[in-house]
Amino acid sequence: MAKKVISDKANLNSISYLFTSESVTMGHPDKVCDNISDSILDAMLAQDPKSRVACETLVTTGLVVVAGEITTKAIVNIPDVIRNAIKKIGYTDPNMGFDYENCAVMVTLDRQSPDISQGVSEGEGLHKEQGAGDQGIMFGYACKETPALMPMPIQLAHKITTRLEQLRQNRKLPWLRPDGKSQVTVEYENNKPKRIHTVVVAAQHDPTVKYYTLQKEIIKQVVLPVLPKNMVDKNTIYHINPTGRFVIGGPKGDCGVTGRKIIVDTYGGRGSHGGGAFSGKDPTKVDRTASYMARHVAKNIVAAGLADVCEIQLSYAIGVADPISVHVNTEGTAKISEQQISQLVREHFPLTPKGMINYLKLARPIFAQTSHGGHFGRTGEDFTWEKTNKAKALRKAAGL
């Protein structure tokens, strides 16, 4: 009887739950908009690194509308940038209901408000230091679940959509079209990933491919190659194009808007989100830059071994350079106090707009590539916010 009681207590102490995250391909209508907005931003920054860009895009059947506020010395043929972005994504066939050659393009852009400009221009406004481009709160997150220090569900969902894109572009699965989604559900035990519970994939396709072929090839060539083998078992569930057909997609199937996939862009629902989108915004916009810096800070804290999980919140006031607050939440995994970690953050990382832009080298045309596959957990020299160059110094300063 005593053994049974111990066993029951052990089961009560074992916490099991499911967590799901999704990703979408570059051909998803919202991501088409993100890519167009960031392609316009890149074209501006390539000529004028001080460009002020707030560019919003809407796409629907046969139409692209670009609106916003831009102040720049750059001379850019915006319709050409838009059509080239759509072509690179893969909308090249009029039979899809949306393609780069035949869509109508409407551009309606104004200059940045002078009231905002004086707040972010050094030497102007109430505060002479370059201030934040808006008020707001931004979050960064990191954890030990994957080598990239990202939550496992969103990292695997991104790997599936990236794999879909690769096999479409290299024609190994020639019947794939640009639109698509993935969703990964991970089973956790005691807050650690235990197994892959369910995988959902929705892949746009040519009308000629048979459903059985599509289902079989996506599991074999897309899903299984990217999932950790030790996390997959006979009970893992696969839902591949669960309606049975996904021919009509992209802007013909759904209207797309810039900035509508903010959870896909960040941590898949883990941690918090301040609400501000990234794409189409130049680096003076703290919605983007402070979110990148918050990820960089959180990742370095986890890489340094100061905590197993870390969420950073930064807050700003428009026209004011220094953050209003720096908040650290380690979900009880910190090796030193969260107050000490917060102090180390202020000592080791520049948190003013100018400081963050210079430190992360953001005044460059690097943003179109961030518009699909997530902004975080990426590799490559351009993704400066993913570097863990401060981990050693943080660990030393913490006395670990």
Side-chain angles (χ1 to χ4, degrees):
M1 186 67 179
K3 287 184 178 179
K4 188 176 187 301
V5 172
I6 292 170
S7 176
D8 288 344
K9 285 184 178 179
N11 289 334
L12 285 172
N13 290 332
S14 178
I15 302 170
S16 181
Y17 60 91
L18 303 178
F19 193 89
T20 304
S21 296
E22 72 159 346
S23 179
V24 297
T25 65
M26 64 173 70
H28 184 282
D30 293 330
K31 280 291 150 198
V32 171
C33 293
D34 287 347
N35 191 288
I36 290 171
S37 293
D38 274 337
S39 294
I40 292 170
L41 170 63
D42 282 353
M44 302 291 179
L45 292 175
Q47 295 183 39
D48 179 7
K50 294 184 178 180
S51 295
R52 303 281 171 76
V53 179
C55 183
E56 312 291 347
T57 303
L58 176 147
V59 296
T60 188
T61 305
L63 176 65
V64 180
V65 179
V66 172
E69 300 77 41
I70 295 178
T71 300
T72 183
K73 294 178 182 177
I75 300 173
V76 174
N77 187 323
I78 292 177
D80 280 358
V81 173
I82 293 168
R83 294 186 190 280
N84 286 334
I86 296 168
K87 182 180 180 182
K88 287 180 181 178
I89 290 168
Y91 286 108
T92 58
D93 184 353
N95 291 324
M96 295 184 196
F98 183 85
D99 71 287
Y100 78 102
E101 288 185 300
N102 297 295
C103 65
V105 173
M106 182 184 300
V107 179
T108 170
L109 293 167
D110 294 320
R111 291 175 62 83
Q112 184 182 55
S113 161
D115 297 346
I116 296 175
S117 178
Q118 73 175 21
V120 295
S121 297
E122 203 165 5
E124 299 181 18
L126 290 176
H127 305 272
K128 300 311 175 186
E129 190 175 357
Q130 179 181 339
D134 201 353
Q135 71 176 48
I137 56 175
M138 300 85 206
F139 291 90
Y141 187 86
C143 64
K144 285 189 171 182
E145 289 181 15
T146 62
L149 303 185
M150 286 285 286
M152 182 174 285
I154 187 65
Q155 194 76 351
L156 293 179
H158 284 324
K159 286 188 175 185
I160 290 172
T161 53
T162 300
R163 181 83 174 159
L164 272 176
E165 292 165 354
Q166 290 170 345
L167 296 181
R168 171 178 63 86
Q169 292 168 333
N170 66 22
R171 305 293 294 169
K172 288 188 176 180
L173 294 180
W175 34 261
L176 283 174
R177 287 183 171 182
D179 198 356
K181 288 184 172 185
S182 70
Q183 189 171 282
V184 176
T185 300
V186 174
E187 182 180 338
Y188 285 78
E189 192 170 86
N190 296 325
N191 292 321
K192 293 183 179 180
K194 181 182 179 183
R195 57 183 291 272
I196 307 298
H197 183 276
T198 302
V199 176
V200 181
V201 178
Q204 188 189 14
H205 58 87
D206 291 342
T208 54
V209 66
K210 295 185 185 309
Y211 176 77
Y212 174 76
T213 301
L214 178 144
Q215 181 190 45
K216 177 184 174 183
E217 292 302 313
I218 286 181
I219 292 175
K220 178 183 175 182
Q221 297 199 51
V222 177
V223 177
L224 291 180
V226 304
L227 297 183
K229 289 180 173 54
N230 63 329
M231 299 285 288
V232 178
D233 57 39
K234 64 180 181 180
N235 295 318
T236 299
I237 301 165
Y238 303 96
H239 293 296
I240 310 300
N241 282 21
T243 69
R245 180 179 168 88
F246 186 7
V247 172
I248 299 171
K252 181 175 175 58
D254 287 292
C255 176
V257 181
T258 298
R260 201 155 55 181
K261 285 290 175 284
I262 57 176
I263 299 302
V264 172
D265 286 343
T266 52
Y267 309 101
R270 288 285 286 276
S272 306
H273 197 294
F278 303 152
S279 291
K281 296 179 180 178
D282 74 82
T284 67
K285 313 295 192 291
V286 283
D287 275 341
R288 180 168 223 157
T289 298
S291 294
Y292 287 2
M293 179 57 85
R295 161 64 178 170
H296 179 66
V297 172
K299 187 174 183 180
N300 275 269
I301 287 169
V302 173
L306 273 60
D308 294 338
V309 177
C310 184
E311 180 181 83
I312 301 292
Q313 186 205 56
L314 303 175
S315 68
Y316 290 86
I318 188 168
V320 179
D322 288 314
I324 303 300
S325 64
V326 177
H327 177 69
V328 176
N329 177 14
T330 64
E331 299 180 11
T333 67
K335 306 303 185 289
I336 60 175
S337 75
E338 291 177 349
Q339 186 176 4
Q340 286 178 284
I341 295 175
S342 181
Q343 185 60 38
L344 289 174
V345 170
R346 287 187 177 272
E347 291 172 359
H348 286 79
F349 298 94
L351 299 176
T352 65
K354 182 178 180 179
M356 294 186 292
I357 291 168
N358 292 337
Y359 175 81
L360 295 176
K361 301 176 182 177
L362 296 181
R364 298 179 293 147
I366 60 171
F367 297 108
Q369 63 188 322
T370 68
S371 64
H372 55 90
H375 293 246
F376 307 126
R378 305 285 293 272
T379 58
E381 286 301 309
D382 289 337
F383 295 90
T384 51
W385 49 94
E386 291 298 315
K387 295 180 182 295
T388 54
N389 53 301
K390 292 285 190 178
K392 187 176 180 180
L394 285 171
R395 188 169 179 83
K396 183 179 179 181
L400 297 180

